Amino acid sequence: MSIQAPRGTRDVLPSEAYKWNYVESLFREICEKFGYKEIRTPIFEHTELFHRGVGETTDIVQKEMYSFKDNGGREITLKPEGTAPVVRSFIENKLYAEPQPMKLFYITPCFRYERPQSGRLRAFHQFGVEAFGTSSPSVDAEVIGIAMAFYRKLGITNLELRINSVGCPECRNKYNEKLKEYLRGKLDKLCKTCQDRFDRNPMRIIDCKTDSCKEEIKDVPYMLDHICEECKTDFEGLKENLTLMEIAYTVDPTIVRGLDYYTKTAFEIVSREIGAQGTVCGGGRYDGLIGCLGGPATPGVGFGMGIERLLLTLQNNQIEIPKPSGLDIFIAAIGERPSKEAVRLLHKLRLEGISADKDHMNRSLKAQFKYADKQQAAYTVVIGDDELEKDIVQLKNMDSGNQEEIKLSNIIQELKNRLK
Ligand SMILES: [Zn+2]
Ligand SMILES: [Zn+2]
């Protein structure tokens, strides 16, 4: 029996890879325009990084990590998300000592052992940006601006940006007391997961998708109504910056982020066609994370965006990604000497930066033309014994069908002129 790809993984075949290349280069281009530089971190890290950087209490760490002991007995995990490795690198390479803010982006595969019925992949891909070193809300808005500019350039327009503030340790501790007070009497009516959350992470209860929980907490107090003066000023600053950038937003006080190191700005970008679970991008501020991973107290803000989800959104919006153009030149040769001439010419053309190919299957001339057509060749160069006698080749424009004789010694220059 032949070997199949592991469950939850997908091949990107040549018929699709051009879409990946397109969105990746566009993402790179936009990030660079915003002054963000690419960072690449390893596929695997010490497991400890994610225990501290993603959080012991999260589903990711508790159930979904690809962790193993390597041959040296080290606890290793394939990265389940992009932020913690970037923060680890920021600290380890002392990027905080360089001029701030340090603005970074990444394109990375991630790995999570998700339940197969959820339709999610176990090996998936993410775009992300992180800006370290400033707590100015103008950078929060800039980070959001990258995502919005990217979607706009791709032609995805039916998106909604939702923003919230999840406060800071100062105001959140006070708020958590109020929240617990509200929830305490309802605890036995909440789902099992929410009962667990009550002590560890009461804010996550607001995020529960269970209908009965939603009903119980419909009058729940929101963090946004209890944020301190500093958090309020920063939230107003974010809104002002977004308005200046002409980016529409909705304030959504139900957006929560589970962990202590998340602070202030939290946002989601929601697409309207995938249905209830239409979040295509999520992010926010995490002023506590760098300190939590052992670095000097440094603020940070960023987002993550699933690439598979992005491609699905493009498909649902019937947005076509430009197909790569075909070959510039196909060389059709018949006979032994012409075939040798084809090898010589082909390699020359390629070195000149012209995309070119020839037959490798011993096809008839007719079949070579058919193949050239399939490769969407713009021109076909025909070399036969008669042509070589006269030191010429036939050049056929595959679009118009026009055929002309060209001197063999001039062919590269002639092709260059025509391909301009
Ligand atoms: Zn606060
Ligand atoms: Zn619940």
Side-chain angles (χ1 to χ4, degrees), residues 190-219:
L190 299 178
C191 73
K192 177 79 183 60
T193 316
C194 285
Q195 289 176 6
D196 284 348
R197 284 167 175 161
F198 182 78
D199 282 315
R200 286 196 330 230
N201 202 341
M203 234 166 128
R204 282 293 307 278
I205 297 177
I206 296 174
D207 202 25
C208 187
K209 302 285 181 267
T210 315
D211 285 337
S212 54
C213 287
K214 277 191 192 160
E215 177 62 26
E216 282 307 315
I217 61 159
K218 57 181 193 288
D219 307 313

Side-chain angles (χ1 to χ4, degrees), residues 283-412:
R285 189 160 270 289
Y286 46 80
D287 289 350
L289 181 56
I290 295 167
C292 166
L293 287 175
T298 308
V301 59
F303 72 69
M305 183 189 291
I307 304 183
E308 282 84 358
R309 172 61 64 86
L310 172 74
L311 292 170
L312 187 64
T313 307
L314 286 167
Q315 192 186 316
N316 290 346
N317 282 281
Q318 269 122 35
I319 295 168
E320 293 286 340
I321 286 170
K323 283 213 170 70
S325 49
L327 278 182
D328 294 328
I329 309 294
F330 186 83
I331 304 177
I334 290 295
E336 203 184 315
R337 251 185 75 217
S339 294
K340 285 181 182 162
E341 180 53 33
V343 172
R344 192 191 66 84
L345 181 59
L346 178 63
H347 198 64
K348 272 218 166 104
L349 289 172
R350 288 168 169 173
L351 292 180
E352 290 287 338
I354 294 169
S355 70
D357 211 345
K358 70 184 254 314
D359 174 53
H360 291 284
M361 307 296 291
N362 238 336
R363 289 180 173 91
S364 69
L365 186 63
K366 195 178 159 200
Q368 289 189 46
F369 264 101
K370 212 168 150 190
Y371 182 70
D373 228 17
K374 280 232 169 82
Q375 304 305 307
Q376 296 166 286
Y379 291 91
T380 297
V381 170
V382 185
I383 313 175
D385 281 319
D386 290 353
E387 279 83 5
L388 283 189
E389 266 329 285
K390 291 189 259 172
D391 216 23
I392 56 151
V393 297
Q394 304 287 339
L395 178 63
K396 186 175 178 186
N397 180 322
M398 297 295 278
D399 214 23
S400 66
N402 277 352
Q403 196 160 314
E404 50 189 326
E405 284 184 2
I406 309 275
K407 261 190 95 71
L408 184 55
S409 51
N410 289 345
I411 183 71
I412 291 178

Side-chain angles (χ1 to χ4, degrees), residues 59-116:
D59 280 358
I60 296 179
V61 168
Q62 287 190 344
K63 299 180 232 169
E64 296 170 357
M65 294 212 301
Y66 273 94
S67 300
F68 57 94
K69 251 196 184 92
D70 72 5
N71 288 347
R74 300 169 194 88
E75 296 288 347
I76 296 293
T77 294
L78 304 183
K79 61 167 118 166
E81 56 94 55
T83 302
V86 173
V87 172
R88 194 264 312 136
S89 177
F90 176 81
I91 299 167
E92 186 173 347
N93 296 294
K94 299 192 171 57
L95 299 184
Y96 50 79
E98 293 181 20
Q100 303 293 302
M102 177 58 61
K103 307 203 291 186
L104 305 167
F105 76 89
Y106 59 81
I107 302 174
T108 185
C110 295
F111 307 87
R112 285 186 205 172
Y113 195 80
E114 301 253 24
R115 272 163 301 156

Side-chain angles (χ1 to χ4, degrees), residues 155-204:
I156 304 172
T157 48
N158 47 355
L159 295 173
E160 191 181 24
L161 166 65
R162 298 179 185 164
I163 59 169
N164 190 23
S165 173
V166 295
C168 63
E170 179 109 353
C171 50
R172 194 156 55 215
N173 284 341
K174 287 184 207 151
Y175 163 75
N176 274 343
E177 288 316 309
K178 278 201 185 74
L179 179 61
K180 280 183 164 175
E181 208 172 287
Y182 170 86
L183 292 168
R184 197 164 279 122
K186 304 170 185 288
L187 207 52
D188 54 337
K189 295 193 189 93
L190 299 178
C191 73
K192 177 79 183 60
T193 316
C194 285
Q195 289 176 6
D196 284 348
R197 284 167 175 161
F198 182 78
D199 282 315
R200 286 196 330 230
N201 202 341
M203 234 166 128
R204 282 293 307 278

Side-chain angles (χ1 to χ4, degrees), residues 43-63:
I43 296 289
F44 57 86
E45 297 274 354
H46 289 292
T47 299
E48 168 83 11
L49 174 68
F50 302 111
H51 278 256
R52 278 159 63 188
V54 179
E56 301 278 1
T57 60
T58 57
D59 280 358
I60 296 179
V61 168
Q62 287 190 344
K63 299 180 232 169

